[in-house]
Amino acid sequence: DLSSKKERTLDLDVGSGTALAFAPNGSLLAVGIHGWVEAKNTSQKTPLETGECQLWNTNGDKKVATLKTKTQRAITAVAFTPEGRWLITGDKSGQVLLWDVTDPEKPQEGVPLGSLTRAITAMTLSTDGKTLSTGGEDGSIKLWDLAERRERATLKAHAGPVTGLAFLDKGESLASTGYDRSVRIRDV
């Protein structure tokens, strides 16, 4: 609640947060996780066994579920579809998964949408929820048709990692930026 100027803290029990997305109604927060698990009462750390995305109820500041991928790589990008039924995750292996979070406390296992050749570094969804754009460490951008669950196009966009993506309106135009110090706007 910004008007009250209160700050709340969600304490992650493992790793560190790498990506965030609120569900459209604001009651759920997805947190992509990367890092280590610390053993109790020791300084020993072990890598997370899987990539994790935690779902938090923002009304009660309570973790309601942990989504675990099979890639063992950090979740680097997250986005909710406009109706809030699906959570989309991207990770350092380049994998893109769709998770049914209709019941956030019992999310359905992630369904692979596809992958990039290297880590996903940026993600955005058109406002109508029909087109997903993912940017990669290799400078490529993929456009995905979510209704048909297929890749629409691959674009060689930047000379280095893509660091940001934004759709205009329903996905007619896409802006991207990257390590090559450029911003590109294209009709898609």
Side-chain angles (χ1 to χ4, degrees):
D1 179 11
L2 293 176
S3 62
S4 70
K5 298 187 179 170
K6 289 182 181 178
E7 179 180 292
R8 300 179 325 213
T9 301
L10 306 178
D11 290 318
L12 306 175
D13 53 354
V14 296
S16 58
T18 56
L20 298 169
F22 278 107
N25 67 8
S27 67
L28 195 63
L29 177 67
V31 182
I33 302 290
H34 171 67
W36 306 88
V37 176
E38 292 187 32
K40 301 260 188 233
N41 302 320
T42 73
S43 61
Q44 290 185 317
K45 295 180 181 182
T46 56
L48 291 175
E49 293 178 15
T50 61
E52 289 189 7
C53 183
Q54 296 180 0
L55 299 179
W56 290 77
N57 177 324
T58 57
N59 295 323
D61 296 342
K62 175 185 157 203
K63 183 169 69 168
V64 295
T66 299
L67 312 175
K68 295 188 176 199
T69 70
K70 295 175 180 154
T71 64
Q72 299 185 353
R73 304 300 299 269
I75 302 294
T76 55
V78 292
F80 282 96
T81 55
E83 78 289 344
R85 176 179 177 192
W86 297 98
L87 172 66
I88 307 161
T89 61
D91 68 23
K92 285 192 73 86
S93 74
Q95 178 103 33
V96 180
L97 296 173
L98 297 172
W99 304 82
D100 185 338
V101 292
T102 305
D103 180 352
E105 294 186 19
K106 296 178 184 171
Q108 302 299 308
E109 184 171 342
V111 176
L113 179 63
S115 64
L116 277 64
T117 57
R118 294 181 56 194
I120 294 189
T121 54
M123 180 188 298
T124 192
L125 191 60
S126 60
T127 56
D128 63 5
K130 293 180 180 178
T131 305
L132 175 71
S133 177
T134 55
E137 192 174 53
D138 62 357
S140 69
I141 294 173
K142 284 197 179 189
L143 299 175
W144 308 88
D145 181 316
L146 287 184
E148 295 185 21
R149 294 191 183 171
R150 67 172 182 84
E151 181 183 329
R152 267 188 31 208
T154 299
L155 312 169
K156 181 59 182 158
H158 294 276
V162 176
T163 57
L165 295 165
F167 274 114
L168 175 64
D169 280 343
K170 296 179 183 172
E172 297 92 4
S173 296
L174 177 69
S176 64
T177 189
Y179 278 14
D180 62 2
R181 298 174 32 190
S182 69
V183 174
R184 299 176 188 211
I185 303 169
R186 62 182 54 82
D187 292 336
V188 294

